[in-house]
Amino acid sequence: MPPNSRFRRALHYIFELQLKLSMLALFAMMLIIVADVFMRYAFNAPIRGTYDLVGILLVIMVFFGLARVIADRAEITIDIVDGWVPASSVRLLMGAAAFVALGVLVFFFWSMTGPMTSAYNYGDRSLELNLPVWLIWLLSLIGLSGAILAAALTAFSPRTATPADDMDAGQ
């Protein structure tokens, strides 16, 4: 087995793990919100820390879910141009979009390191649970790292099928 395929398999395992964490975060977020609403209305005793927990779980859900979506090329696309240009042009546009996505994600990563560093240096804490805010930023950067890896994998791998071909295969 070539090392490249082992590397891709390891990356896809990481993306799958990140997706499972994202799904678990969404499930936990729903449970916490339902429990908080129930406790608030049934016993007039809301759950302490719900605001912070939901915020943290939302960060995990969004940033850890990105990698698998990008790796599977399952982003929402509008295929207006696909019908009037040759398939080779569609592949070229998809490649360009993959490189733009990679650039945007790297820019996001770079932009997020400053606020994380500031939160660490100033000792910022969350409102209800008094957790260090830089840890939340760190979680987002870890999730975004997986998305950057997925975008790099997508940008640098050959694309042989167009989105229309993918849809035709599913029918």
Side-chain angles (χ1 to χ4, degrees), residues 50-159:
T50 299
Y51 180 79
D52 286 346
L53 281 174
V54 168
I56 293 166
L57 291 169
L58 185 63
V59 164
I60 292 170
M61 184 196 72
V62 169
F63 286 104
F64 280 68
L66 278 174
R68 183 60 187 262
V69 170
I70 294 170
D72 290 349
R73 294 182 173 142
E75 303 95 338
I76 296 173
T77 57
I78 301 171
D79 55 354
I80 295 172
V81 177
D82 294 9
W84 5 312
V85 297
S88 60
S89 298
V90 172
R91 284 191 293 277
L92 182 68
L93 288 172
M94 289 175 63
F99 279 102
V100 168
L102 177 60
V104 167
L105 290 172
V106 168
F107 175 74
F108 283 172
F109 188 93
W110 175 75
S111 297
M112 291 166 67
T113 56
M116 183 188 79
T117 306
S118 293
Y120 180 79
N121 289 336
Y122 294 115
D124 293 347
R125 310 292 269 179
S126 65
L127 280 173
E128 294 178 342
L129 297 178
N130 203 28
L131 295 171
V133 172
W134 69 270
L135 288 175
I136 302 166
W137 281 103
L138 183 64
L139 281 172
S140 65
L141 290 176
I142 291 169
L144 195 55
S145 297
I148 290 171
L149 282 172
L153 183 70
T154 302
F156 292 107
S157 64
R159 180 71 174 150

Side-chain angles (χ1 to χ4, degrees), residues 35-52:
D36 182 52
V37 169
F38 175 76
M39 294 295 290
R40 183 179 307 264
Y41 286 107
F43 304 108
N44 198 22
I47 299 172
R48 182 182 170 273
T50 299
Y51 180 79
D52 286 346

